[in-house]
Amino acid sequence: MNAGKGYAFDRQTDRQTDRQTDRNIYLDIVKYVAIFLVIWGHVVQQSLDPGVVPVRADEIYRFIYSFHMPLFMGISGYFFGKSVHKIKGPLLYVKRKLHRRILGLVIPMISFGLLKCLTDIAWGLDIIPITIVKEVIGIWFLGMVLINTLIVLGMAIFCNGTFKHDCKYFMIGIIFTVISKLEYGSFNGFFMYVFFVSGYCIATYLNVSQIQKARFFWKIALISFIFAYFIYNNLPWPLGHIEFNLHSLPLAHIVTVASLKFILGFLGSYLTLIGIYFLLPYIQRLSVFREASQAGRYTLDIYLIQILLVERICGPWYRQMVDKIGFNYILQNGVLFEIAATFLIALIFLHVIIWISKLLNRSSICSKILFYRDSPVVARGKIDV
């Protein structure tokens, strides 16, 4: 009898391990898709003239940016919530892991901020001390992940594990998003905080079966997204960062755009997650499945390297070439050509960046200095962006 019970327990443990592995692979693929959308959006942005506002000028950019950063921030909050839960609460997390998380975000910001300065010098720009600070802070996503981490930890200390009780503290935390306003000059941190907290709450308060029930609402979500995006795309006001012009814009403008940004962010993130969930059974035997599940562990590396390669090297080079020949080959051949060209270029960039990441991670020194990783082997879940 005891042997039978032991065998049954072993099988149950194996099934739990398999389910956990499947969830990890699924989330790695989600991160792979999310980081590809980041690169694709930046490729589109770098093909535009420097003076234009991308969200106003380009339909592809406007669509991608309606949900891809909320998705990425939500994933970051989810992994952070799992990490806090695994270590048995926020207080123990503060004592045991917070310093490593801070260093894991700040050191890459400093390293790549300095590398950004080197690219500025290579392009003939003057560098002063304040420029270095601006370039470091300019890696805004990691900065906001750090700010949101500290806010959520501070609020979670007062929580008791019940969402109805805890949600009011996370709402109070919105007040502290003014920190991102001071650092980055906008209220974008308010939006990113909401999505970070949403991911954290999903990881903390929902079990797997509750999360899986959400897949049944994809039709309603799809119709709602299309409707909301149609309104967003046809507003009578110029789109852009409304937070920079709060004092000069009418209240109806601010409320409408902010509401649509939240709706599109949540629905777009949900539809991306559900789409990947339904697609997985059909791609498990394809090479793209193995590639995505492996590369999804390198999202921190990919995000940072693409800043240099796409935004600081290839983007300025392409703009200089356009100025010389007087023809923007990507934009002046129609929307369908732009979609195909930018998608293909982004895919090439993604593969090149993954190769560069693997090359850098062969060196423990580079791995430590650039990504604050203890060894060349990528540790799953250490710093997920």
Side-chain angles (χ1 to χ4, degrees):
M1 291 292 292
N2 291 336
K5 288 181 179 179
Y7 177 66
F9 176 78
D10 289 342
R11 286 187 297 175
Q12 182 180 4
T13 303
D14 290 341
R15 287 195 296 269
Q16 291 173 344
T17 301
D18 290 342
R19 287 195 294 268
Q20 182 63 42
T21 301
D22 290 342
R23 287 197 294 271
N24 287 336
I25 292 174
Y26 166 70
L27 291 172
D28 285 335
I29 293 175
V30 170
K31 290 195 295 177
Y32 176 86
V33 172
I35 198 63
F36 173 76
L37 290 173
V38 170
I39 296 174
W40 191 7
H42 287 164
V43 167
V44 174
Q45 182 183 24
Q46 295 304 312
S47 69
L48 303 172
D49 294 332
V52 304
V53 179
V55 74
R56 299 178 190 172
D58 192 273
E59 295 178 359
I60 304 171
Y61 184 94
R62 185 159 57 248
F63 175 76
I64 293 173
Y65 269 75
S66 68
F67 67 90
H68 88 297
M69 293 314 298
L71 172 63
F72 228 137
M73 190 61 75
I75 294 171
S76 299
Y78 179 87
F79 276 105
F80 176 62
K82 285 296 182 183
S83 182
V84 172
H85 178 73
K86 184 177 180 180
I87 209 167
K88 308 300 181 183
L91 288 176
L92 283 177
Y93 186 94
V94 170
K95 293 178 181 178
R96 297 180 184 179
K97 293 192 69 174
L98 180 58
H99 69 286
R100 291 194 61 83
R101 183 168 177 86
I102 292 174
L103 291 174
L105 293 167
V106 171
I107 288 180
M109 288 179 69
I110 294 173
S111 299
F112 279 84
L114 293 173
L115 290 173
K116 286 165 66 180
C117 289
L118 291 179
T119 60
D120 290 339
I121 294 172
W123 287 112
L125 301 176
D126 294 329
I127 298 297
I128 58 177
I130 192 63
T131 303
I132 299 175
V133 176
K134 289 181 178 179
E135 294 290 20
V136 171
I137 295 177
I139 305 179
W140 69 271
F141 185 84
L142 296 191
M144 286 195 176
V145 170
L146 175 59
I147 293 170
N148 290 336
T149 294
L150 297 177
I151 296 174
V152 170
L153 275 178
M155 297 299 101
I157 291 174
F158 302 98
C159 296
N160 66 4
T162 304
F163 179 72
K164 289 183 179 179
H165 171 272
D166 298 348
C167 66
K168 61 178 177 290
Y169 292 106
F170 296 128
M171 292 178 66
I172 293 172
I174 292 174
I175 298 172
F176 298 97
T177 59
V178 70
I179 298 172
S180 59
K181 167 66 176 175
L182 298 175
E183 293 293 332
Y184 295 101
S186 74
F187 285 101
N188 197 39
F190 165 70
F191 292 98
M192 294 297 103
Y193 171 79
V194 172
F195 293 110
F196 185 87
V197 167
S198 298
Y200 177 89
C201 290
I202 290 172
T204 304
Y205 302 103
L206 298 181
N207 56 42
V208 175
S209 62
Q210 289 173 320
I211 295 173
Q212 288 182 339
K213 289 179 181 178
R215 69 183 186 272
F216 299 113
F217 303 101
W218 70 269
K219 293 180 181 178
I220 297 174
L222 179 59
I223 295 172
S224 301
F225 180 87
I226 293 172
F227 180 70
Y229 188 78
F230 176 81
I231 296 174
Y232 180 73
N233 203 38
N234 292 277
L235 287 173
W237 312 303
L239 296 173
H241 296 291
I242 59 171
E243 55 269 20
F244 288 114
N245 302 298
L246 285 176
H247 300 294
S248 60
L249 295 175
L251 182 61
H253 184 155
I254 297 170
V255 172
T256 302
V257 174
S259 300
L260 288 171
K261 286 178 66 175
F262 276 123
I263 292 171
L264 292 172
F266 279 114
L267 291 178
S269 299
Y270 166 82
L271 290 169
T272 303
L273 292 168
I274 293 299
I276 295 171
Y277 176 84
F278 285 134
L279 189 62
L280 280 185
Y282 301 99
I283 65 171
Q284 286 183 347
R285 295 185 179 181
L286 302 179
S287 59
V288 67
F289 177 84
R290 294 189 297 272
E291 174 191 314
S293 61
Q294 293 173 3
R297 307 173 191 176
Y298 290 76
T299 47
L300 174 67
D301 309 37
I302 297 170
Y303 171 75
L304 292 167
I305 295 170
Q306 67 84 30
I307 292 175
L308 298 178
L309 187 60
V310 179
E311 299 181 53
R312 292 308 181 99
I313 297 175
C314 295
W317 171 82
Y318 180 77
R319 287 171 173 173
Q320 285 190 357
M321 185 182 70
V322 170
D323 289 339
K324 288 181 179 179
I325 65 176
F327 184 80
N328 193 328
Y329 192 73
I330 292 177
L331 298 182
Q332 294 177 238
N333 287 284
V335 176
L336 292 179
F337 181 85
E338 181 190 357
I339 293 173
T342 53
F343 182 91
L344 180 60
I345 293 170
L347 197 61
I348 294 171
F349 271 126
L350 178 61
H351 283 85
V352 171
I353 291 169
I354 291 172
W355 177 81
I356 294 173
S357 172
K358 291 180 179 179
L359 187 65
L360 292 173
N361 277 286
R362 290 181 181 178
S363 167
S364 58
I365 296 176
C366 289
S367 182
K368 189 73 172 182
I369 293 175
L370 296 177
F371 311 114
Y372 195 67
R373 198 171 284 128
D374 291 330
S375 70
V377 179
V378 176
R380 182 193 299 274
K382 178 176 287 186
I383 298 293
D384 291 286
V385 300

